[in-house]
Amino acid sequence: MAESSGHKHQFKDRKDKIGWYLDEIDSYKEDMGRWYSIFIRIVLPFLIFIIPSNIVCARFYEMITSRYLSGFFDPTDNAAKIVFWVICLLIFLAILIFLPRFATVVEFAVSGVFYYLALTVTYVVKVNGHLVEKSLITNGLGYFVVIVLSLFMFMKLVFLVFEIMYRIVFHGEKEPKAYKDDSNDLVL
């Protein structure tokens, strides 16, 4: 039987094996380069969080204006909600660009509030003269947003776990071990 041409790594223990896999994952992330930083860390989260941030900002605006600022702002003023939402999106974009680690915390917080609102909050609307209780997510776009946000946050959680494991295994090192070879060869 012919032996495969791939090189099989020999590991002395489980920690060495985990370290090798973590190093490979980090090397692939490094190889992705600039597009990874721009698209995956800034553009994609911004696009994914447009609708969830709209819902969270609208509920937050209604809560603040009805409880604390009822004399100054009308809770049903849609123009003020849109301005508040745009300001929140600009702040979120600035956080994505300048504070990427804090952006992860904000993404988990906003998605948690969005899931809470999507699963528990209902609205009472008047339909044909009757009051009807309606949930927040009622159409295909809403379900699509929930699914995409769930997939994105799951992958964010997976990469966060990999990053934490990498920091534990390779604490104190600034670059992946694959790049620390004495030769000047590029690792691809």
Side-chain angles (χ1 to χ4, degrees):
M1 188 181 259
E3 206 172 303
S4 66
S5 63
H7 174 27
K8 185 169 172 114
H9 292 278
Q10 299 297 323
F11 305 107
K12 54 185 168 178
D13 59 2
R14 185 177 176 101
K15 184 179 178 183
D16 187 41
K17 184 175 183 178
I18 291 172
W20 184 84
Y21 281 116
L22 290 173
D23 186 50
E24 285 296 310
I25 291 169
D26 198 60
S27 295
Y28 289 134
K29 198 165 67 170
E30 291 288 328
D31 288 343
M32 285 190 268
R34 195 157 174 79
W35 75 269
Y36 171 78
S37 295
I38 292 172
F39 184 74
I40 301 294
R41 289 187 174 180
I42 297 171
V43 175
L44 189 63
F46 184 76
L47 292 175
I48 288 174
F49 278 92
I50 286 177
I51 293 175
S53 67
N54 183 4
I55 292 170
V56 170
C57 288
R59 292 294 295 171
F60 186 69
Y61 176 82
E62 290 170 1
M63 182 186 73
I64 294 295
T65 55
S66 66
R67 290 186 183 170
Y68 305 111
L69 303 172
S70 59
F72 299 109
F73 295 104
D74 181 19
T76 60
D77 184 15
N78 288 333
K81 281 182 193 176
I82 292 172
V83 169
F84 182 69
W85 174 57
V86 169
I87 291 170
C88 288
L89 276 179
L90 291 174
I91 291 170
F92 181 61
L93 183 61
I95 289 171
L96 285 172
I97 293 170
F98 299 114
L99 302 168
R101 293 184 194 277
F102 181 65
T104 300
V105 174
V106 172
E107 289 166 354
F108 277 107
V110 170
S111 62
V113 172
F114 174 73
Y115 289 135
Y116 171 76
L117 292 174
L119 295 174
T120 62
V121 173
T122 57
Y123 294 97
V124 176
V125 293
K126 196 174 214 178
V127 177
N128 296 334
H130 300 351
L131 294 177
V132 177
E133 197 170 312
K134 179 179 138 183
S135 66
L136 184 66
I137 308 260
T138 58
N139 58 14
L141 177 63
Y143 292 115
F144 178 74
V145 168
V146 168
I147 290 169
V148 168
L149 186 63
S150 299
L151 288 173
F152 179 76
M153 293 313 293
F154 175 74
M155 291 309 297
K156 191 81 162 180
L157 185 64
V158 166
F159 280 105
L160 181 65
V161 168
F162 283 152
E163 184 71 25
I164 290 170
M165 289 173 61
Y166 183 83
R167 300 255 178 195
I168 290 170
V169 172
F170 299 114
H171 62 282
E173 295 184 26
K174 298 289 184 201
E175 56 187 23
K177 288 176 93 176
Y179 292 111
K180 290 190 180 237
D181 193 7
D182 287 336
S183 68
N184 291 330
D185 293 338
L186 207 86
V187 178
L188 298 175

